[in-house]
């Protein structure tokens, strides 16, 4: 019998730094990339958990985008919990709130933004994610966009009255994606 492959996900934790007040870009996927997150209970749970954790001071949410099988969060880490605890709390709370029959992958990808990195670029990348993926028409707003303070993002001023982006943003989002540190959910 051949040896089964061994996951090396513990390596993802090596070098993880948890700094209160630091900005983090985090990507998490459902196990086996199950496309369940845009169902109503899951979407509602993610929105509620983001709001609750923000209010509790676990993090200060900048933006979240929920895709069918993964989510991106951009936040400033609070003083209360370490990054690992925030990640664990988010995963457990969303599953419990949604009464989920699915699981998150054990790990995700996180990147601590350096002071010179633009949170605006990350937020724009995240906002355009469902449009780049072809999940929604450019004339519509994506329901999985969670942004407690859109006035804090320069690009939000260019959205139409319904929250949809101009068509030319699709090409711009591809250029921005090349300037930020992301890992494709396919490679998590």
């Amino acid at each position: 019998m051949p040896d089964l492959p061994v996951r090396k996900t513990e390596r993802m934790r090596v070098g993880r730094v948890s700094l209160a007040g630091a900005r983090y870009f985090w990507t998490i996927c459902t196990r086996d990339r199950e496309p369940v997150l845009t169902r109503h209970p899951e979407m509602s749970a993610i929105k509620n958990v983001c709001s609750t954790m923000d209010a509790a001071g676990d993090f200060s949410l900048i933006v979240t985008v929920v895709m069918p099988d993964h989510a991106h969060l951009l936040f400033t880490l609070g003083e209360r919990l370490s990054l690992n605890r925030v990640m664990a709390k988010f995963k457990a709370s969303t599953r419990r709130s949604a009464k989920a029959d699915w699981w998150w992958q054990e790990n995700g990808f996180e990147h601590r933004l350096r002071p010179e990195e633009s949170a605006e670029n990350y937020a724009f990348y995240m906002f355009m994610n469902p449009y780049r993926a072809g999940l929604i028409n450019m004339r519509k707003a994506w329901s999985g966009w969670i942004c407690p303070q859109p006035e804090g993002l320069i690009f939000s001023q260019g959205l139409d009255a319904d929250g949809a982006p101009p068509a030319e943003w699709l090409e711009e989002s591809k250029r921005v994606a090349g300037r930020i540190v992301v890992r494709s959910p396919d490679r998590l």
Side-chain angles (χ1 to χ4, degrees):
M1 178 183 220
D3 290 335
L4 296 174
V6 177
R7 290 186 64 183
K8 296 178 177 63
T9 55
E10 69 279 354
R11 289 185 186 169
M12 294 180 80
R13 294 185 185 114
V14 173
R16 179 177 286 166
V17 176
S18 179
L19 295 173
R23 296 170 302 163
Y24 288 89
F25 170 73
W26 183 37
T27 302
I28 53 172
C29 300
T30 57
R31 189 180 296 165
D32 299 325
R33 303 302 302 273
E34 197 171 350
V36 297
L37 298 180
T38 50
R39 300 185 307 200
H40 178 71
E42 283 76 5
M43 185 74 74
S44 180
I46 290 171
K47 288 179 179 181
N48 290 338
V49 168
C50 283
S51 177
T52 300
M53 289 180 71
D54 186 273
D58 299 331
F59 58 56
S60 177
L61 184 66
I62 302 169
V63 296
T64 298
V65 68
V66 181
M67 301 291 282
D69 60 0
H70 68 281
H72 298 290
L73 287 84
L74 182 63
F75 58 87
T76 302
L77 186 62
E79 301 280 336
R80 287 176 24 90
L81 301 174
S82 70
L83 183 59
N84 286 342
R85 299 279 299 155
V86 164
M87 293 173 166
K89 182 177 179 179
F90 179 86
K91 288 178 176 183
S93 298
T94 52
R95 285 198 70 256
R96 186 173 42 255
S97 180
K99 298 179 174 64
D101 57 351
W102 52 270
W103 294 90
W104 291 107
Q105 282 184 356
E106 183 178 333
N107 281 306
F109 167 78
E110 90 277 343
H111 169 72
R112 181 175 45 89
L113 278 68
R114 288 162 181 72
E116 68 275 7
E117 285 185 286
S118 168
E120 179 87 17
N121 284 343
Y122 280 84
F124 181 70
Y125 166 83
M126 293 164 62
F127 177 84
M128 293 301 296
N129 203 15
Y131 300 99
R132 277 192 314 278
L135 297 175
I136 190 166
N137 184 298
M138 291 290 290
R139 293 183 303 273
K140 296 183 179 182
W142 180 250
S143 63
W145 173 248
I146 305 164
C147 183
Q149 297 179 325
E151 65 280 358
L153 298 171
I154 297 166
F155 76 84
S156 69
Q157 298 168 12
L159 301 174
D160 70 16
D162 296 323
E168 60 270 16
W169 283 13
L170 195 54
E171 284 306 312
E172 176 61 18
S173 75
K174 293 174 186 173
R175 284 190 288 280
V176 168
R179 295 192 305 256
I180 64 174
V181 177
V182 296
R183 177 163 295 162
S184 166
D186 295 329
R187 294 183 6 211
L188 293 181

